[in-house]
Amino acid sequence: EVELVQSGPEIKRPGESLRISCQASGYLFVSYWIGWVRQMPGKGLEWMGIIFPRDSDTRYSPSFQGQVTLSVDKSTNTAYLQWTSLKASDTAIYYCARVPTTHYAMDVWGQGTTVNVSS
Amino acid sequence: EIVLTQSPGTLSLSPGERATLSCRASQSLIASYLSWYQQKPGQAPRLLIYGTSTRATGIPDRFRGSGSGAHYTLTISRLEPEDFAIYYCHQYGNSPGFGPGTKVEVK
């Protein structure tokens, strides 16, 4: 069974750093992109970017370029989303999803990681 | 930058009725990169349609996607109780992104 399992909820202070994870199983990790999507409280979906695990080719939305970093660890089939200095406006649910190279839709989703940034 | 607009914002219908959801882009899209998602409260989104009209695995045939150029449609032929949710269109191409969503609610 294809599955993406994300790390647990986080409560952080503004200015702190954070890395959340997305572990894949049930398919060849290096052959599909992994995408990240933000959903702020009560709002819609925002496409953040995608990363190709085979070579770490990364494409960011202009809205998130420079604000977050996507990375992968091929040895553990895990993708990461990282911040160096969180802001209150980063409070959201973050989803990872598998993205096939054939159509770039997000066909399998993780359960989401809630990040709460508050002083 | 391509902007997606979805209409209506909210669709109030009864079970058994037909739902027609629109997704318009600010410029022509690559049809093979147009997809639709369903999201229910407290759940992750679920892929319904990719490549404009191909149903994802396990999606019932009452869901149909169509369109070309800058205008795309998701049609639910007969609403089942589990179909009341928010629906998002998404395009991957020039500046990938999601539309703002259409909420399908019980009338």
Side-chain angles (χ1 to χ4, degrees):
Chain A
E1 178 194 4
V2 176
E3 196 173 20
L4 298 176
V5 178
Q6 297 186 231
S7 49
E10 301 277 359
I11 299 175
K12 305 294 270 185
R13 303 280 191 206
E16 291 185 330
S17 63
L18 175 65
R19 189 177 76 167
I20 63 174
S21 67
C22 169
Q23 185 168 39
S25 61
Y27 72 98
L28 190 58
F29 181 63
V30 294
S31 294
Y32 293 78
W33 295 81
I34 291 285
W36 290 89
V37 173
R38 182 174 78 175
Q39 188 165 40
M40 299 176 76
K43 302 299 183 184
L45 306 176
E46 297 175 88
W47 190 92
M48 300 176 70
I50 55 173
I51 184 167
F52 196 59
R54 177 164 291 154
D55 57 8
S56 292
D57 182 16
T58 309
R59 303 172 188 181
Y60 292 96
S61 161
S63 299
F64 292 93
Q65 178 85 49
Q67 307 304 309
V68 298
T69 302
L70 306 186
S71 62
V72 295
D73 181 346
K74 290 186 287 187
S75 69
T76 59
N77 289 356
T78 302
Y80 297 99
L81 171 61
Q82 181 173 340
W83 296 260
T84 56
S85 181
L86 287 161
K87 305 186 264 297
S89 58
D90 293 317
T91 294
I93 300 173
Y94 293 87
Y95 294 101
C96 65
R98 189 180 77 162
V99 180
T101 60
T102 48
H103 54 67
Y104 291 93
M106 295 175 150
D107 69 348
V108 178
W109 291 67
Q111 82 275 22
T113 295
T114 299
V115 174
N116 195 315
V117 184
S118 173
S119 54
Chain B
E1 180 189 355
I2 293 178
V3 177
L4 298 179
T5 303
Q6 291 188 242
S7 61
T10 301
L11 199 49
S12 298
L13 294 168
S14 301
E17 289 194 293
R18 180 186 188 92
T20 303
L21 287 66
S22 172
C23 176
R24 290 186 183 270
S26 55
Q27 57 185 273
S28 186
L29 302 178
I30 302 171
S32 56
Y33 293 161
L34 191 285
S35 53
W36 291 90
Y37 301 82
Q38 176 193 67
Q39 188 179 32
K40 298 178 182 179
Q43 296 185 16
R46 176 173 72 144
L47 176 65
L48 298 175
I49 301 285
Y50 64 90
T52 294
S53 59
T54 303
R55 281 186 298 278
T57 303
I59 302 303
D61 61 7
R62 64 179 181 273
F63 291 92
R64 188 172 78 90
S66 61
S68 64
H71 186 209
Y72 296 82
T73 301
L74 175 69
T75 303
I76 310 171
S77 58
R78 290 174 311 280
L79 283 164
E80 297 288 340
E82 62 269 25
D83 298 337
F84 292 92
I86 299 175
Y87 292 84
Y88 297 94
C89 58
H90 168 265
Q91 66 88 20
Y92 180 85
N94 185 359
S95 58
F98 291 91
T102 290
K103 182 179 182 180
V104 178
E105 66 174 22
V106 178
K107 186 174 182 181

